[in-house]
């Protein structure tokens, strides 16, 4: 039997499936698909599906399918304004409590909408206060300007570019980087060792947030994955793609299998650098 090569190791980074990736199917279906395809866990998007809001139901799904819950996405979307209270701080407190009870390491949170004025004014300091009270990471996610034809609206405050403010941990979302027409690798450089979580999806720079399967757009998905080992990244990579146009459950599952294979392939390259070889970015000093 051949001996394992000393210069090759398997990546430690876990790959999770966002429950949003199976929409319009249910949160329960996401656990079933994650188990069948061999994902390392799930990120629960808390939204209008009652199961996503029910800690006991989520624990039962996790135990039944033997799929751990690695992250909780707080209900920050327009369609979740009344989920877990209309008070945004209560939403985050409940997300933290859910993460603690479910064994998740991370709460993903969006910056406030501009019309949430008091929340936006207190957001940076408030996130620090909450982060100091728990071992759960609050990883603030990059967003994007809203565009319609030739008009652009700054919908988030303090800013959609979260690297302009001081947070303990960040989430990089590559589809959002595409929509904001931002250099994702440059944003990751600015996040530096505070990058705590990755939402992996592709995009083509459309005004719409596309969340394509990695490899189907123009974002540096492969380069980001291959570069994680060089940054000391110790978080999770979450597949958060849009499968709404899938014509069948089988087609949706095929997309999610393709996304997982892409991610694991490039993480393995990250974990097995060629001695003396270049890092993921060749333009760094």
């Amino acid at each position: 039997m051949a001996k394992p090569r000393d210069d090759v190791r398997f990546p430690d980074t876990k790959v999770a499936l966002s429950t949003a990736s199976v929409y319009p199917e249910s949160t329960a279906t996401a656990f079933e698909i994650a188990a069948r395809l061999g994902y390392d866990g799930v990120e629960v998007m808390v939204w209008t599906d009652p199961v996503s809001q029910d800690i006991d139901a989520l624990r039962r799904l996790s135990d039944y399918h033997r799929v751990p819950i690695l992250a909780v996405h707080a209900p920050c979307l327009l369609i979740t304004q009344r989920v877990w209270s209309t008070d945004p701080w209560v939403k985050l407190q409940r997300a933290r409590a859910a993460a603690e009870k479910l064994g998740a390491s991370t709460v993903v949170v969006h910056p406030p909408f501009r019309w949430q004025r008091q929340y936006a004014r207190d957001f940076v300091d408030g996130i620090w206060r909450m982060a100091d009270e728990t071992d759960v990471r609050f990883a603030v996610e990059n967003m994007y300007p809203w565009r319609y034809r030739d008009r652009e609206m700054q919908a988030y405050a303090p800013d959609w570019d979260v690297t302009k403010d001081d947070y303990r941990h960040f989430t990089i979302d590559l589809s959002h980087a595409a929509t904001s027409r931002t250099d994702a690798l440059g944003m990751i450089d600015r996040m530096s060792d505070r990058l705590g979580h990755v939402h992996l999806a592709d995009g083509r720079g459309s005004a719409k947030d596309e969340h394509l399967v990695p490899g189907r757009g123009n974002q540096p998905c492969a380069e980001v994955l291959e570069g994680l080992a060089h940054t000391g990244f110790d978080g999770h990579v979450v597949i958060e793609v849009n499968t709404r146009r899938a014509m069948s459950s089988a087609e949706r599952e095929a997309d999610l299998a393709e996304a997982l294979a892409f991610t694991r392939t490039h993480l393995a390259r990250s974990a097995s650098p060629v001695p003396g070889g270049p890092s993921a970015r060749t333009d760094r000093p």
Side-chain angles (χ1 to χ4, degrees):
M1 180 180 295
K3 294 182 180 180
R5 288 172 54 191
D6 292 336
D7 61 339
V8 175
R9 64 183 176 86
F10 292 100
D12 297 326
T13 303
K14 292 182 178 179
V15 183
L17 177 65
S18 169
T19 59
S21 295
V22 307
Y23 182 84
E25 297 195 59
S26 67
T27 300
T29 300
F31 278 86
E32 180 183 341
I33 292 175
R36 188 157 53 241
L37 295 181
Y39 277 82
D40 298 313
V42 300
E43 175 178 298
V44 174
M45 171 69 79
V46 180
W47 56 358
T48 54
D49 181 349
V51 171
S52 75
Q53 305 170 31
D54 186 327
I55 293 173
D56 290 335
L58 292 169
R59 184 184 289 112
R60 287 194 295 270
L61 283 169
S62 178
D63 291 345
Y64 178 79
H65 292 288
R66 299 183 180 179
V67 174
I69 297 170
L70 302 181
V72 173
H73 194 309
C76 306
L77 307 176
L78 285 173
I79 63 170
T80 61
Q81 290 183 85
R82 296 185 178 279
V83 173
W84 280 359
S85 171
T86 56
D87 184 329
W89 290 115
V90 172
K91 291 174 183 283
L92 295 190
Q93 290 163 2
R94 293 190 64 172
R96 179 189 65 193
E100 290 171 343
K101 291 175 181 177
L102 294 168
S105 64
T106 303
V107 168
V108 179
V109 57
H110 293 178
F113 294 112
R114 293 191 71 86
W115 55 84
Q116 295 176 300
R117 294 181 181 178
Q118 187 60 50
Y119 179 46
R121 278 195 292 269
D122 297 339
F123 185 69
V124 176
D125 290 340
I127 290 292
W128 272 100
R129 285 195 299 271
M130 294 193 73
D132 285 338
E133 296 169 355
T134 180
D135 291 331
V136 173
R137 292 179 172 182
F138 281 88
V140 186
E141 183 174 4
N142 62 302
M143 298 304 291
Y144 47 85
W146 289 1
R147 294 190 180 92
Y148 179 72
R149 295 181 179 175
D150 59 345
R151 296 184 179 182
E152 182 173 292
M153 173 184 171
Q154 301 301 322
Y156 299 95
D159 205 287
W160 60 263
D161 182 352
V162 293
T163 65
K164 293 182 178 179
D165 291 288
D166 181 27
Y167 301 109
R168 181 171 293 170
H169 291 106
F170 294 107
T171 296
I172 182 73
D173 185 303
L174 297 185
S175 178
H176 295 175
T179 305
S180 64
R181 299 166 188 169
T182 299
D183 172 15
L185 293 174
M187 180 170 279
I188 288 172
D189 277 348
R190 295 194 298 277
M191 291 178 174
S192 187
D193 60 358
R194 291 183 291 170
L195 174 63
H197 201 65
V198 175
H199 277 173
L200 193 70
D202 219 328
R204 294 178 289 234
S206 167
K208 295 181 179 180
D209 184 19
E210 296 173 288
H211 283 274
L212 304 177
V213 170
R216 298 184 185 179
N218 58 22
Q219 289 303 289
C221 297
E223 292 91 336
V224 168
L225 293 170
E226 291 169 15
L228 290 180
H230 301 284
T231 65
F233 179 72
D234 62 353
H236 306 312
V237 174
V238 177
I239 304 298
E240 190 183 73
V241 296
N242 185 343
T243 63
R244 297 177 198 177
R245 293 187 178 181
M247 300 300 293
S248 65
S249 295
E251 183 178 332
R252 172 173 292 108
E253 196 161 321
D255 283 347
L256 298 176
E258 178 184 331
L260 178 60
F262 179 101
T263 304
R264 288 222 170 111
T265 294
H266 291 286
L267 281 175
R269 292 178 184 174
S270 170
S272 305
V274 176
S279 64
R281 290 199 74 178
T282 58
D283 57 345
R284 290 181 180 173

